[in-house]
Amino acid sequence: MAEILQVNNLFKSFGRKQVLKDFNMSLEEGKVYGLLGKNGEGKTTLIRMVMGIIPIDKGKIHYKGKKIKFNHPCYKKEVGYIPEESIFFGWMTINELMSFNSSFYPKWNAHKAKEYLDRFDLDGKIRIKNLSRGMKLKLGLIVALAAEPELLILDDPTSGMDVPTRHDFLKGLIQEILEQGTTILFSSHLVHELEGIIDHLGILHSGKLILEENFEQVKNKVKKVHLVFDGSVPEGIDIEGILTKQTDGNKCDLGIYPWNDEVKTNLETLHPTKMDVESMTLEEIFVHFVS
Amino acid sequence: MFAKIFIKEWRENITIFSLAVLMMTATVILSLTSKEEMTLYSSEMFLLLFLPLAALLLGSGGFYTEFKDNAWVYLFSRPVKKELLWIFKYVSQLSVLLVIFVIFYLVRRILPGLDKILQDLDINYPEAFGERFSISVYVVIPIIAFTIAFSLSLLYDKQFIIFFVSILLGTGLLYISQNYLYFLWERGFRVRSEGILSVLFALSFAFASILTLAKSDFSQVGKKIFRFSAYALILLIISFLISTVWVTRGQIFSSSSSFSIWHYQVHQGKFYFQDFRQGILLYDPDQEKIQRLNRKSRFSFGSFSLRAGKIVFLQIRSMRQWTQDLWIMNTDGTGARPLVESSKEDSLFYKKRTRSFILSHDADRVAFITTHSEKEGEKSVWIQTLWQMNTDGTRLKSQILDVPESHGADLIFWPSFGNSLVLVVHSVSLARQKSSQVRMIDLDEGTSQVLLKNIVVPHFWRFGHLHPSQEYLIFRMREDEENKESLALLNLKTKETTELFSADLLKLWSGKWSPDGSKIAFSRGRELWIYDLEEKKVEKISQRNYEYEIGFDWTSDGQKFILLAPIDGENQLIVMDSNFQEIKSIKIPIQFMGTITVRGLENVAILKGTGKGRFWRVDLETEEWKKVF
């Protein structure tokens, strides 16, 4: 499967604070890539660099194999972008914004835009400054989708959405978009939302991707192990792949990545009286990785 | 895309446009009600206050909505180059300003009363724009102000700060450009296109802004400002360099350049002349070389007075106020220094314009006339003052001249005997020239005596009309009642006038004394005549009828007489002996433009046409022609 977006050795600082350090990432065409990270880890910064809003300090970004240069915006005709907060020119009406935006995209589909407006129950004559946050988010979606992008980048778009809209978006709209062959980069800190949607997972922490893998494989490889011992928990449990460790009396909970037979065998050598292995939710995976 | 951005920018700036239309409507209404004073006031407010402020307001709000709504994230994530966005926004917003200008221009044209009022609107703008300009300059300054403000508007989200910083930067740069022009001026360059520097400044800011937008993270204010400042500084330096080259082009002296001769004098076989750009120059026919006498004289204007190894000339100090100072230098260009200083408020010559000046025969003293206006009740009157002083600045004396209104006084001669000056008082209107007078002023007594009335003042009466003994002056005179002119000889010692010759109106022109002073040659239309002073006889000496007015002169040794005349459609130089017998006729192989003047040096004749680059010499023996420039 071809890679639609590739990020290599990316560095970005704001003053003395280094936000991204030697960051690498690649997106396969037609997949949903979930990018997780705590607040302030650099998700938005990364996305803004991909969108050419802010310049790169060092590194490269390739779109469909071609290097993206700052302020060389041709590739953006195929990229839809929904920022965390959809901000437009407040004095414009929705229809005016649609008209204004359409001038930038040769593939702008006005019919689709109208459909989405109806679907989200937005009146085109309303001024943007009079829209609620949730309505602006919906508008942002429409602005991005009506251009029929090949790559859709969502920067935590659902945090201001109401539940029905979020549900509709996550369960319905995403699927429709995927069926059109659009690749999606979904950045969020609402981890639980991404479960069931994403194909690929990336966890951003301390400026780097500390995990980047197919989500099914991640689920198989990341395990929660509950150990019970006679007496106290042995000290210095030194097994490769321990993400987290919590001890309580004679009990020990471990987060393990990658889970494999070797790790299992190593744990058995500790002679626990009980060893339970469970899969983690995405949220638990995220917590264990960034702890 | 441009159309959508255009509409967007107009929508965002419709308030300013509406205000402008409102103001113009008020002006129109006032104009229609024939309230001239109010119309002028309203127009002045519109042009001087509203337009520049509107331009600044418009410009400083260039990226305001992008900041205000944080919509820059949305806009810069669109597939369009930032430079293009900048340009589209700039052009769109500038069009608002331009439409205001166009409407104002149309309103002026439609309402003739308004147009007339505005013709009288005469405001000096800073010297960076040189002299007074027509109303169109009120368009240029707002555009420059707008460009600067727009360029800065992407740096910060507080519009009022951008507004004031634009004013500070704009006025600061204007101040710097003025001083820079003075800097060039003081180094001997005549500055012509002052406005170019201001335009280049505006362009520098624009380019710096575009580059900053294209290269910077819009959210980081500090880095944006730093980057912008760096770009702007480099571009401003380049602007200074370009402006320097532009302003000074053609002014680096080269003896092979072409010159425009405004005024000239022959002294000791050398040809001294004045060029608009290069100042006072000297052509040495023996060495066949042109040299610039002194760089300071580059700012000289009008004529110069050359006597006894010294030259006095007027140097322009300020183009804006048109102030001039009198300077003196040696005929070799050394020792240039001001004689009077009129820049300081405590100077006697502050706000006084020197219009005429002359050196004494020994160049120890200089006399000059200044004019200035004074309030007499509600009226302004022009006062003309005659000054005299030693050329070392001592013994300054003055007296106010009794000159009728609409008349000017010009010094024409300072005789070597006695201590008096000869001046002409003439109407400033050409149609009233016959009311001119020749007066003699006794510099010791301060008294004035009219020597001649009703003289005609040809524009070059300074030359050739002074007898070599310096005791006589020759003039054309015209009687009111008769259509007759006469040639009159004024004896400066006895103050007696002798009518030499009388003829039909407008026929007498140009006179040249022979070097020994025994004869004067003058033209009567297409004829050449001689008046012999000793024999008191006038006779025609031209043997043919020439097709139009001619030029003539004696050679400096008096042995030959040169006549420049058209014969059979061709200009020829006719060389005569001292008895006016033709020796030879030299064909002139060059086409001269306009009037040709001929000056005889010893064995060489100098021919000068009007305009640039028409200065030739011919050897009267070998008939060899050489172009001087």
Side-chain angles (χ1 to χ4, degrees):
Chain A
M1 193 59 88
E3 283 170 354
I4 193 168
L5 188 73
Q6 205 173 14
V7 179
N8 298 116
N9 312 113
L10 206 64
F11 287 80
K12 181 70 182 175
S13 302
F14 292 103
R16 287 185 189 169
K17 186 184 174 196
Q18 184 144 46
V19 175
L20 293 172
K21 275 181 272 193
D22 200 15
F23 180 91
N24 294 274
M25 185 180 81
S26 60
L27 263 73
E28 275 183 34
E29 250 183 88
K31 302 290 181 189
V32 181
Y33 190 109
L35 181 65
L36 300 180
K38 293 195 292 188
N39 290 337
E41 285 285 3
K43 301 187 298 297
T44 299
T45 301
L46 167 70
I47 287 170
R48 285 186 174 182
M49 283 193 283
V50 170
M51 289 309 299
I53 297 170
I54 58 176
I56 299 166
D57 287 352
K58 197 174 155 188
K60 292 174 193 168
I61 301 176
H62 290 86
Y63 175 78
K64 286 188 179 176
K66 283 188 187 159
K67 188 180 169 185
I68 289 171
K69 288 182 191 171
F70 184 65
N71 202 31
H72 280 57
C74 289
Y75 70 98
K76 287 196 255 185
K77 288 179 185 169
E78 299 176 0
V79 180
Y81 170 53
I82 303 166
E84 186 176 8
E85 214 172 317
S86 289
I87 299 168
F88 306 105
F89 300 104
W91 61 268
M92 284 187 180
T93 63
I94 291 176
N95 284 339
E96 284 169 349
L97 178 68
M98 293 293 135
S99 173
F100 180 73
N101 200 67
S102 67
S103 63
F104 296 107
Y105 297 95
K107 288 202 277 183
W108 180 264
N109 189 330
H111 181 68
K112 197 181 256 184
K114 182 78 174 61
E115 270 183 19
Y116 282 128
L117 280 175
D118 293 335
R119 181 169 169 172
F120 289 129
D121 197 26
L122 290 173
D123 181 357
K125 290 173 191 162
I126 299 177
R127 291 213 183 272
I128 291 167
K129 64 184 175 191
N130 295 329
L131 295 176
S132 67
R133 187 161 181 252
M135 289 161 98
K136 282 184 190 170
L137 278 166
K138 291 179 192 176
L139 182 58
L141 271 173
I142 300 169
V143 164
L145 295 174
E148 296 186 334
E150 292 190 33
L151 169 64
L152 183 65
I153 299 178
L154 304 123
D155 187 3
D156 215 349
T158 58
S159 57
M161 280 185 190
D162 53 54
V163 171
T165 309
R166 195 185 301 159
H167 187 266
D168 180 26
F169 173 71
L170 294 172
K171 300 299 176 197
L173 205 54
I174 293 280
Q175 203 51 47
E176 284 173 35
I177 295 164
L178 282 172
E179 281 167 10
Q180 288 163 20
T182 305
T183 309
I184 300 174
L185 170 60
F186 200 138
S187 147
S188 182
H189 68 278
L190 299 177
V191 180
H192 60 276
E193 293 184 333
L194 298 184
E195 198 143 14
I197 299 172
I198 59 174
D199 301 309
H200 216 84
L201 174 66
I203 295 179
L204 176 57
H205 183 64
S206 298
K208 287 189 178 187
L209 275 182
I210 54 174
L211 174 71
E212 189 190 18
E213 204 159 351
N214 179 280
F215 186 52
E216 289 303 317
Q217 287 177 7
V218 168
K219 280 205 294 191
N220 290 334
K221 285 183 185 176
V222 182
K223 298 289 182 190
K224 193 165 44 176
V225 179
H226 178 71
L227 298 168
V228 180
F229 293 91
D230 268 340
S232 59
V233 174
E235 284 185 18
I237 299 178
D238 183 20
I239 293 171
E240 205 177 317
I242 293 178
L243 291 173
T244 56
K245 177 180 159 188
Q246 269 181 310
T247 308
D248 182 20
N250 65 337
K251 293 174 191 152
C252 180
D253 288 323
L254 300 172
I256 305 278
Y257 172 79
W259 175 257
N260 52 38
D261 291 335
E262 187 183 337
V263 171
K264 186 180 173 189
T265 307
N266 287 339
L267 284 172
E268 281 168 352
T269 61
L270 297 173
H271 306 295
T273 55
K274 189 178 174 185
M275 184 166 81
D276 293 326
V277 181
E278 294 168 9
S279 293
M280 291 193 197
T281 63
L282 181 56
E283 194 164 336
E284 286 171 327
I285 292 170
F286 177 59
V287 169
H288 277 265
F289 266 92
V290 300
S291 292
Chain B
M1 192 203 313
F2 174 70
K4 297 278 165 66
I5 292 173
F6 187 88
I7 294 167
K8 168 191 168 292
E9 298 300 326
W10 265 85
R11 291 277 300 270
E12 288 174 357
N13 292 289
I14 200 70
T15 312
I16 293 175
F17 181 75
S18 305
L19 279 170
V21 170
L22 200 65
M23 275 205 75
M24 282 191 277
T25 308
T27 308
V28 168
I29 292 170
L30 287 167
S31 168
L32 290 171
T33 58
S34 304
K35 290 188 192 306
E36 188 173 310
E37 204 175 305
M38 285 303 293
T39 308
L40 188 60
Y41 179 77
S42 167
S43 304
E44 280 180 350
M45 286 300 108
F46 181 78
L47 289 169
L48 293 181
L49 202 61
F50 178 79
L51 270 185
L53 284 178
L56 281 167
L57 211 58
L58 202 61
S60 60
F63 282 85
Y64 178 66
T65 46
E66 279 77 17
F67 271 118
K68 178 181 155 239
D69 296 336
N70 253 338
W72 62 270
V73 174
Y74 159 74
L75 195 60
F76 295 157
S77 61
R78 301 305 99 185
V80 58
K81 281 198 169 196
K82 294 187 180 72
E83 302 95 306
L84 216 52
L85 274 173
W86 193 103
I87 292 167
F88 285 174
K89 281 176 70 69
Y90 175 82
V91 169
S92 304
Q93 291 186 26
L94 182 65
S95 71
V96 175
L97 207 57
L98 293 177
V99 168
I100 294 171
F101 294 146
V102 167
I103 294 174
F104 188 72
Y105 175 78
L106 290 172
V107 162
R108 267 186 69 196
R109 286 280 166 262
I110 292 165
L111 298 173
L114 178 63
D115 197 33
K116 188 187 174 307
I117 290 167
L118 292 176
Q119 292 291 348
D120 297 330
L121 198 62
D122 192 13
I123 294 142
N124 283 325
Y125 260 103
E127 188 153 342
F129 289 90
E131 0 179 289
R132 293 175 183 137
F133 281 92
S134 69
I135 207 165
S136 59
V137 84
Y138 305 133
V139 170
V140 173
I141 289 176
I143 290 177
I144 291 175
F146 166 76
T147 303
I148 292 175
F150 185 87
S151 303
L152 295 171
S153 68
L154 61 82
L155 298 179
Y156 198 51
D157 60 345
K158 299 282 186 292
Q159 187 179 1
F160 74 94
I161 289 180
I162 299 293
F163 182 88
F164 285 111
V165 169
S166 304
I167 293 174
L168 284 172
L169 272 176
T171 47
L173 285 171
L174 206 59
Y175 176 79
I176 291 170
S177 73
Q178 283 185 55
N179 282 280
Y180 178 66
L181 295 172
Y182 278 129
F183 173 82
L184 289 176
W185 191 274
E186 283 162 13
R187 271 138 194 85
F189 295 101
R190 185 183 286 277
V191 177
R192 293 161 307 161
S193 304
E194 295 88 348
I196 187 175
L197 197 52
S198 301
V199 171
L200 286 173
F201 282 162
L203 287 174
S204 300
F205 274 82
F207 281 120
S209 183
I210 292 172
L211 287 169
T212 304
L213 185 64
K215 304 275 182 202
S216 299
D217 180 349
F218 199 78
S219 63
Q220 293 197 283
V221 173
K223 277 193 177 176
K224 259 194 306 188
I225 292 173
F226 178 79
R227 200 184 275 265
F228 176 86
S229 305
Y231 287 141
L233 191 64
I234 293 167
L235 289 167
L236 285 172
I237 291 169
I238 294 172
S239 297
F240 272 112
L241 290 172
I242 293 173
S243 181
T244 305
V245 170
W246 175 265
V247 159
T248 62
R249 75 189 194 284
Q251 294 189 52
I252 307 296
F253 179 73
S254 164
S255 59
S256 60
S257 303
S258 287
F259 304 97
S260 295
I261 300 176
W262 277 24
H263 173 84
Y264 64 92
Q265 235 177 287
V266 177
H267 175 71
Q268 294 179 345
K270 296 192 174 89
F271 193 85
Y272 292 79
F273 64 100
Q274 190 156 14
D275 173 75
F276 178 73
R277 284 194 220 174
Q278 300 289 353
I280 299 173
L281 304 114
L282 162 67
Y283 171 65
D284 186 336
D286 295 330
Q287 295 185 21
E288 294 182 32
K289 203 172 84 167
I290 294 178
Q291 65 178 90
R292 183 171 66 195
L293 285 184
N294 188 290
R295 290 183 77 202
K296 290 290 184 189
S297 73
R298 294 186 72 176
F299 306 125
S300 56
F301 178 73
S303 58
F304 57 85
S305 176
L306 192 163
R307 290 185 96 169
K310 294 256 193 275
I311 300 175
V312 164
F313 58 96
L314 268 183
Q315 178 147 309
I316 298 167
R317 197 165 35 74
S318 166
M319 287 287 281
R320 180 186 167 193
Q321 283 105 16
W322 200 242
T323 49
Q324 307 159 91
D325 292 327
L326 207 58
W327 280 58
I328 191 168
M329 65 178 173
N330 301 320
T331 45
D332 62 0
T334 59
R337 58 182 170 83
L339 284 170
V340 299
E341 170 63 63
S342 60
S343 62
K344 299 190 174 78
E345 279 191 37
D346 57 358
S347 162
L348 271 176
F349 304 97
Y350 182 66
K351 288 199 171 178
K352 292 184 174 73
R353 273 191 63 187
T354 304
R355 56 169 290 134
S356 179
F357 48 90
I358 199 162
L359 273 169
S360 60
H361 71 282
D362 53 8
D364 278 350
R365 286 183 69 72
V366 62
F368 53 99
I369 295 175
T370 62
T371 57
H372 69 280
S373 72
E374 277 182 9
K375 280 274 187 201
E376 226 175 63
E378 288 205 353
K379 237 173 54 164
S380 282
V381 293
W382 283 97
I383 309 290
Q384 298 187 50
T385 310
L386 172 67
W387 303 80
Q388 49 164 317
M389 64 186 214
N390 289 346
T391 49
D392 62 5
T394 58
R395 285 186 61 207
L396 178 70
K397 286 167 75 174
S398 68
Q399 65 184 88
I400 291 177
L401 293 171
D402 175 24
V403 176
E405 205 177 307
S406 304
H407 279 68
D410 285 304
L411 296 164
I412 55 169
F413 183 59
W414 193 331
S416 56
F417 48 84
N419 191 25
S420 52
L421 283 173
V422 182
L423 55 89
V424 167
V425 175
H426 58 90
S427 167
V428 295
S429 158
L430 286 173
R432 295 170 57 192
Q433 269 194 353
K434 56 186 177 185
S435 61
S436 304
Q437 298 176 345
V438 176
R439 296 184 192 177
M440 185 171 265
I441 301 217
D442 187 317
L443 292 172
D444 294 326
E445 304 288 325
T447 53
S448 169
Q449 180 183 358
V450 176
L451 302 179
L452 284 174
K453 292 182 188 178
N454 300 332
I455 64 154
V456 176
V457 183
H459 68 279
F460 49 80
W461 47 260
R462 279 175 177 259
F463 312 118
H465 290 198
L466 179 67
H467 191 268
S469 69
Q470 302 189 0
E471 287 182 27
Y472 300 96
L473 277 169
I474 201 156
F475 291 96
R476 279 162 69 193
M477 290 174 62
R478 187 184 295 150
E479 296 300 323
D480 276 335
E481 305 305 322
E482 302 165 28
N483 283 338
K484 268 196 174 167
E485 283 186 346
S486 50
L487 208 59
L489 190 70
L490 168 66
N491 186 319
L492 292 170
K493 273 188 174 170
T494 64
K495 301 184 180 72
E496 284 172 1
T497 310
T498 308
E499 189 180 289
L500 305 177
F501 178 66
S502 186
D504 296 335
L505 198 63
L506 296 179
K507 290 287 190 178
L508 297 178
W509 202 244
S510 192
K512 297 267 177 78
W513 287 102
S514 59
D516 63 1
S518 62
K519 301 179 183 59
I520 181 162
F522 57 91
S523 61
R524 278 191 66 197
R526 299 171 187 179
E527 298 165 346
L528 184 68
W529 289 67
I530 292 288
Y531 180 79
D532 191 311
L533 219 63
E534 283 168 14
E535 294 183 21
K536 294 186 173 30
K537 208 168 72 173
V538 63
E539 64 177 310
K540 175 178 163 183
I541 61 161
S542 51
Q543 278 131 32
R544 323 172 215 214
N545 284 328
Y546 304 110
E547 288 152 38
Y548 42 80
E549 279 80 12
I550 48 183
F552 51 87
D553 199 10
W554 268 277
T555 55
S556 47
D557 59 3
Q559 295 304 304
K560 297 189 187 67
F561 187 83
I562 325 158
L563 171 64
L564 174 73
I567 300 167
D568 300 327
E570 265 187 358
N571 280 330
Q572 301 216 19
L573 199 66
I574 299 164
V575 183
M576 299 177 178
D577 63 20
S578 52
N579 293 320
F580 306 102
Q581 299 303 311
E582 235 179 79
I583 301 171
K584 59 166 94 176
S585 175
I586 304 174
K587 273 196 186 160
I588 299 174
I590 309 108
Q591 280 283 70
F592 282 87
M593 275 172 59
T595 313
I596 307 167
T597 312
V598 61
R599 290 302 302 235
L601 302 177
E602 203 160 302
N603 284 310
V604 161
I606 305 288
L607 272 71
K608 179 188 89 63
T610 51
K612 215 173 181 177
R614 298 283 186 266
F615 190 62
W616 286 74
R617 55 172 278 159
V618 57
D619 189 306
L620 298 174
E621 298 292 328
T622 64
E623 298 183 27
E624 187 191 354
W625 287 89
K626 270 188 191 169
K627 186 179 177 182
V628 177
F629 61 82

